[in-house]
Amino acid sequence: MSNGSQKYYLFVSNQCPHSRQILNQLRNTQISKNLNVINIDDPRIQIPNFIQCVPTLYLPDKRQVLTEQHLIQYFQMMTFVLVVHKLLNKYYHKLLRIYTYYHNHNM
């Protein structure tokens, strides 16, 4: 999701069904490891001015705010990327052997 240490900020509320749904979907995924979840219901939290609704994802490295459909699409895309990455890691050596065999026998 990011370059390793970069954290993204997901602003949520316990009162919001969409926030609860996003949190349930992200639970136990690789994506959640790069998220700082900030519950705006906590009175100690000073809510940034750019938060107009929840859930909202803030990407500080891009200075980008994602809400609604853009937020859903972002998490879908990241889930897809992680699945492809996992598959490539799993089959890398097999694919390399196939490529090497094909390359050596067709030259």
Side-chain angles (χ1 to χ4, degrees):
M1 186 164 156
S2 69
N3 62 13
S5 63
Q6 177 69 53
K7 290 284 190 174
Y8 297 154
Y9 299 91
L10 180 62
F11 293 85
V12 297
S13 169
N14 292 335
Q15 311 304 314
C16 171
H18 300 292
S19 291
R20 290 192 304 268
Q21 181 182 8
I22 288 280
L23 289 172
N24 283 334
Q25 290 173 348
L26 294 176
R27 187 171 289 135
N28 300 322
T29 68
Q30 287 291 109
I31 296 170
S32 65
K33 293 180 182 181
N34 288 357
L35 289 178
N36 281 326
V37 177
I38 300 167
N39 189 331
I40 65 166
D41 298 331
D42 185 340
R44 298 171 296 172
I45 299 296
Q46 184 174 356
I47 302 169
N49 293 337
F50 59 82
I51 301 298
Q52 301 297 312
C53 65
V54 288
T56 294
L57 181 65
Y58 177 58
L59 311 172
D61 57 337
K62 298 177 179 132
R63 293 187 177 177
Q64 190 173 11
V65 176
L66 301 176
T67 62
E68 300 174 353
Q69 195 59 34
H70 292 109
L71 173 66
I72 293 167
Q73 289 171 347
Y74 180 81
F75 283 136
Q76 288 172 340
M77 186 258 316
M78 290 311 300
T79 301
F80 175 77
V81 167
L82 289 170
V83 167
V84 168
H85 181 74
K86 187 175 181 178
L87 286 172
L88 285 174
N89 282 340
K90 182 176 181 179
Y91 294 108
Y92 171 77
H93 293 291
K94 289 180 183 179
L95 292 171
L96 185 60
R97 282 195 303 269
I98 292 169
Y99 170 79
T100 303
Y101 177 83
Y102 178 78
H103 182 74
N104 289 337
H105 289 85
N106 289 312
M107 290 301 249

